[in-house]
């Protein structure tokens, strides 16, 4: 059992002054903070489970995690979405070992107990060997008490008293809405995931999602490699990063965004197909609305869901110094093949397992974790743009492309949750 950190230790990990915003390196180090993060962040708030397209039909299921707890999400025969702990109520064996699929029932591989996709225990082999008063009714799979979805994104929470999902999403809702408009009136369909891992804390990846400060540096060689392809996305992305056009935004709910200042489009699409797509967006949302929809945007739903225009990423914490990232390319139902194959290509080449950008980033994360082991330095600083950002009445803070406004929003929320129950 790890020792619990007290309230003052936790609140002192984030030090906000008018001129500087610091985070204690101890927040990335050691199993104590990690165990408390699972309890007070991952089991107290909403966590993304899956996309609705992955459980479209009765019997469809997906296995995932909330924090380090294994979870199954399934659609029942009646068409309701359920989520359970992925643990057999007999003796705790993992009941579902597949990442996704379709089934009439989950059958435990250990002793064969079977459960409906609604979680109800329906079969025990040799049931006559149990006492006549043995109660099956309390042996259903342990449910995740709260499930809700917004814009096709299914979330769950182990906290029965968690706030409503839309309240939790707060300022991020408008970005989800814009992201949905990219489908031009259709819907997203999630493709098979790419996975990668790194030997570092999960928060390194969360903080990196909206970091407009780093692309012109750590990704410079990757961008330069592809720069020769005239009109490539990366060419213009580097220009944006270098010229710092665009915005960062941090929200009181802990979410944050990085937005380019102008539309960015990937190359490789037939110009006529691209024009037809833009025309459709313009007809639906007007010229300004279409430009907004086509503006490159990536955001983090606190604490671990990353949304890109073409991709969903889920950051799964494994231990304080070990993280797995699942990257799901997003296709648009009914879109031209050029559009979808380009979205696949973007997802694979940029943020997939062998993507040119992920490899740069995870090398930095692992290096940072390694340095933190030494305890030689006490604080990191997230102060870029502090005191220079626009603060809106609802608490949204808007910075320039390279500001660390969203990272600060992340840490304020982290600190509030970590301190709340101590
Ligand atoms: Fe599942 Fe025994 S642990 S049937
Ligand atoms: Fe990066």
């Amino acid at each position: 059992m790890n020792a619990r950190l007290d309230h003052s230790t936790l609140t002192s990990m984030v030090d906000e002054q008018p001129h500087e915003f610091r985070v204690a390196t101890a927040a990335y180090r050691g199993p104590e903070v990690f165990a408390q993060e699972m309890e007070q962040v991952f089991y107290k708030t909403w966590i993304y489970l899956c996309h609705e397209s992955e459980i479209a039909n009765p019997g469809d299921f997906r296995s995932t995690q909330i924090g380090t707890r294994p979870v199954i999400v399934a659609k029942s025969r009646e068409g309701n979405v359920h989520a359970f702990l992925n643990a057999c109520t007999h003796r705790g064996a993992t009941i579902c070992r597949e990442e996704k699929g379709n089934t009439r029932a989950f059958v435990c591989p250990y002793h064969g107990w079977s459960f409906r996709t609604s979680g109800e225990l329906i079969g025990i082999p040799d049931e006559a060997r149990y006492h006549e008063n043995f109660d099956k009714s309390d042996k259903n799979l342990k449910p995740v008490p709260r499930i809700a979805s917004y814009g096709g994104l299914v979330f769950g929470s182990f906290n029965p008293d968690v706030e409503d999902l839309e309240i939790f999403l707060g300022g991020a809702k408008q970005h989800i809405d814009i992201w949905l408009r990219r489908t031009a009136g259709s819907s997203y369909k999630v493709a098979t995931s790419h996975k990668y891992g790194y030997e570092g804390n999960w928060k390194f990846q969360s903080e990196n999602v909206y970091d407009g400060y780093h692309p012109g540096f750590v990704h410079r060689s990757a961008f330069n490699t592809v720069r020769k392809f005239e009109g490539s996305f990366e060419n213009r992305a580097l220009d944006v990063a270098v010229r710092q056009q665009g915005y960062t935004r941090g929200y009181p709910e802990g979410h944050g965004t990085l937005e380019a200042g102008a539309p960015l489009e990937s190359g490789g699409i037939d110009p006529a197909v691209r024009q037809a797509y833009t025309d459709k967006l313009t007809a639906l949302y007007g010229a300004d609305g279409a430009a907004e929809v086509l503006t490159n945007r990536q955001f983090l739903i606190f604490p671990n869901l990353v949304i890109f225009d073409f991709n969903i990423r889920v950051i799964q914490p494994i231990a304080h110094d070990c993280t797995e990232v699942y990257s799901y390319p997003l296709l648009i139902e009914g879109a031209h093949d050029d559009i979808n194959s380009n979205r696949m290509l973007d997802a694979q080449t940029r943020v997939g397992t062998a993507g040119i950008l992920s490899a740069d980033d995870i090398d930095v994360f692992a290096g940072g974790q390694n340095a933190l082991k030494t305890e030689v330095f006490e604080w990191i600083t997230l102060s870029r743009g502090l005191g220079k950002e626009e603060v809106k009445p609802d608490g949204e803070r808007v910075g320039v492309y390279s500001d660390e406004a969203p990272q600060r929003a992340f840490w304020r929320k982290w600190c509030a949750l970590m301190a709340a129950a101590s």
Side-chain angles (χ1 to χ4, degrees):
M1 186 80 182
N2 294 309
R4 287 184 67 80
L5 300 169
D6 63 25
H7 182 269
S8 73
T9 305
L10 289 165
T11 51
S12 66
M13 284 185 180
V14 176
D15 174 37
E16 182 164 10
Q17 307 288 337
H19 65 288
E20 182 161 20
F21 188 106
R22 304 189 302 172
V23 174
T25 55
Y28 300 86
R29 188 167 54 224
E32 295 83 7
V33 173
F34 184 81
Q36 220 149 325
E37 281 178 331
M38 293 304 105
E39 274 182 45
Q40 289 170 217
V41 177
F42 281 84
Y43 306 150
K44 284 288 188 305
T45 193
W46 289 101
I47 299 295
Y48 174 75
L49 297 176
C50 69
H51 188 263
E52 278 176 356
S53 65
E54 296 172 278
I55 48 166
N57 302 305
D60 284 353
F61 67 87
R62 252 269 268 128
S63 52
T64 181
Q65 286 175 220
I66 294 182
T68 53
R69 291 180 183 166
V71 164
I72 315 169
V73 199
K75 186 166 266 188
S76 68
R77 281 194 307 202
E78 297 75 28
N80 300 318
V81 177
H82 297 266
F84 327 97
L85 204 60
N86 189 358
C88 178
T89 50
H90 175 216
R91 279 160 57 185
T94 300
I95 196 143
C96 175
R97 299 177 183 199
E98 308 294 324
E99 187 178 332
K100 61 181 178 178
N102 183 284
T103 188
R104 289 170 62 84
F106 297 109
V107 180
C108 180
Y110 201 3
H111 310 98
W113 284 28
S114 54
F115 303 83
R116 276 195 225 286
T117 48
S118 59
E120 185 192 345
L121 173 61
I122 45 171
I124 298 181
D126 297 325
E127 197 174 337
R129 291 301 299 157
Y130 285 81
H131 192 279
E132 63 263 26
N133 291 337
F134 179 75
D135 186 3
K136 265 184 7 186
S137 68
D138 65 356
K139 311 288 185 305
N140 297 333
L141 294 176
K142 298 296 170 208
V144 175
R146 296 283 298 276
I147 301 174
S149 66
Y150 185 84
L153 305 167
V154 182
F155 292 81
S157 179
F158 276 111
N159 177 6
D161 302 319
V162 71
E163 65 209 320
D164 285 347
L165 179 63
E166 293 203 20
I167 306 270
F168 162 81
L169 291 173
K173 252 178 23 172
Q174 62 191 302
H175 298 285
I176 297 175
D177 294 344
I178 295 168
W179 166 77
L180 289 170
R181 286 181 209 135
R182 277 221 167 203
T183 65
S186 181
S187 54
Y188 287 122
K189 184 175 166 54
V190 165
T192 302
S193 66
H194 288 230
K195 299 167 204 165
Y196 60 84
Y198 61 89
E199 293 180 354
N201 194 270
W202 64 274
K203 299 187 290 297
F204 285 125
Q205 179 74 81
S206 292
E207 294 169 319
N208 174 263
V209 173
Y210 31 44
D211 188 290
Y213 201 175
H214 81 288
F217 299 96
V218 76
H219 299 311
R220 180 171 286 274
S221 72
F223 287 148
N224 281 337
T225 303
V226 293
R227 215 179 159 96
K228 52 178 148 298
F229 299 109
E230 190 59 36
S232 73
F233 173 88
E234 288 79 6
N235 188 359
R236 275 167 285 158
L238 179 61
D239 290 343
V240 166
V242 170
R243 292 202 304 270
Q244 300 182 356
Q245 292 178 343
Y247 305 97
T248 45
R249 296 176 202 274
Y251 293 93
E253 301 85 10
H255 319 304
T257 69
L258 175 69
E259 297 148 47
L264 287 173
E265 270 302 301
S266 305
I269 301 177
D270 183 311
V273 172
R274 185 199 302 278
Q275 192 58 49
Y277 175 61
T278 307
D279 290 347
K280 196 167 177 187
L281 290 175
T282 306
L284 285 167
Y285 309 116
D288 289 350
E292 182 181 51
V293 167
L294 291 171
T295 294
N296 189 58
R297 152 188 330 263
Q298 51 206 62
F299 52 105
L300 180 88
I301 307 290
F302 181 92
N304 70 330
L305 170 63
V306 183
I307 298 186
F308 283 84
D309 300 321
F310 52 85
N311 182 258
I312 287 175
R313 267 198 288 183
V314 180
I315 303 164
Q316 297 289 18
I318 305 298
H320 72 277
D321 57 357
C322 182
T323 304
E324 287 178 356
V325 181
Y326 289 70
S327 178
Y328 300 90
L330 285 169
L331 306 178
I332 297 173
E333 292 275 15
H336 192 282
D337 279 354
D338 265 20
I339 303 243
N340 276 336
S341 55
N342 201 265
R343 295 176 67 86
M344 262 326 249
L345 198 66
D346 258 356
Q348 289 170 351
T349 56
R350 292 174 61 197
V351 295
T353 309
I356 57 168
L357 304 185
S358 298
D360 291 339
D361 289 330
I362 62 178
D363 187 51
V364 171
F365 306 156
Q369 191 72 37
N370 193 35
L372 294 182
K373 279 187 209 156
T374 66
E375 303 187 23
V376 165
F377 69 99
E378 240 187 306
W379 298 96
I380 58 148
T381 185
L382 290 164
S383 308
R384 192 172 173 89
L386 184 68
K388 296 172 187 280
E389 59 206 1
E390 179 193 355
V391 183
K392 298 201 170 176
D394 61 0
E396 175 186 346
R397 301 186 192 219
V398 186
V400 302
Y401 196 76
S402 62
D403 278 355
E404 289 166 330
Q407 287 90 342
R408 291 190 285 274
F410 176 95
W411 280 103
R412 288 186 194 107
K413 178 71 176 181
W414 181 93
C415 194
L417 285 172
M418 289 291 273
S422 303

